[in-house]
Amino acid sequence: MLASLGLILLCQLIGEAVVRGLGLPLPGPVLGLLLLLILLLARDRFALLAHGPLRNDGVETTSKGLLAHLSLLFVPAGVGVVQELDLLASHGIAIILVLALSVVVTLLATVLTFRLVSRLLKQQDAR
């Protein structure tokens, strides 16, 4: 489990280093997650890579353990919000409006995407 956690954190570290080194407009952990995905896909395709933490669903088991305790990762964010209550009070209305607008835009994008995919699937079934 420690080796698998180490691999997950190593992928995140590599992603962060590449993003900062190249100045990419992308969060480092996102690039690290893509690297981990590529590693897992390569492991499934090439049995030669199924060693160490990539063997026997080690990364998957560790990931499920992390997800089971995901609520603990929100504690630092909660502390940060409490530390910035004065900023939240001065810009609270703007933050609420932006959050509400982003929720509406996200819902509209989701509905439009669903309708488009549904329509494309119906056309595909008709053929």
Side-chain angles (χ1 to χ4, degrees):
M1 181 166 172
L2 284 176
S4 298
L5 183 60
L7 179 65
I8 292 170
L9 292 175
L10 179 66
C11 287
Q12 180 178 354
L13 176 67
I14 292 170
E16 193 69 43
V18 168
V19 164
R20 288 182 188 228
L22 297 177
L24 299 174
L26 181 74
V30 171
L31 190 61
L33 185 64
L34 287 174
L35 175 63
L36 183 62
L37 176 66
I38 291 168
L39 277 173
L40 291 175
L41 290 173
R43 175 206 62 187
D44 291 342
R45 184 168 280 247
F46 306 109
L48 180 67
L49 294 175
H51 293 289
L54 291 174
R55 179 185 59 222
N56 297 333
D57 293 334
V59 173
E60 288 87 345
T61 304
T62 302
S63 299
K64 287 178 184 174
L66 285 172
L67 287 174
H69 298 85
L70 187 63
S71 60
L72 292 175
L73 299 176
F74 288 103
V75 171
V79 171
V81 167
V82 170
Q83 286 180 339
E84 301 294 336
L85 282 178
D86 57 334
L87 185 64
L88 187 61
S90 63
H91 299 292
I93 300 296
I95 292 171
I96 289 171
L97 289 175
V98 167
L99 285 173
L101 181 65
S102 67
V103 166
V104 169
V105 169
T106 302
L107 287 173
L108 286 174
T110 303
V111 167
L112 291 173
T113 303
F114 177 78
R115 291 186 69 191
L116 176 67
V117 170
S118 177
R119 189 174 301 144
L120 289 173
L121 288 175
K122 284 180 184 177
Q123 288 177 357
Q124 191 177 35
D125 287 341
R127 291 181 191 172

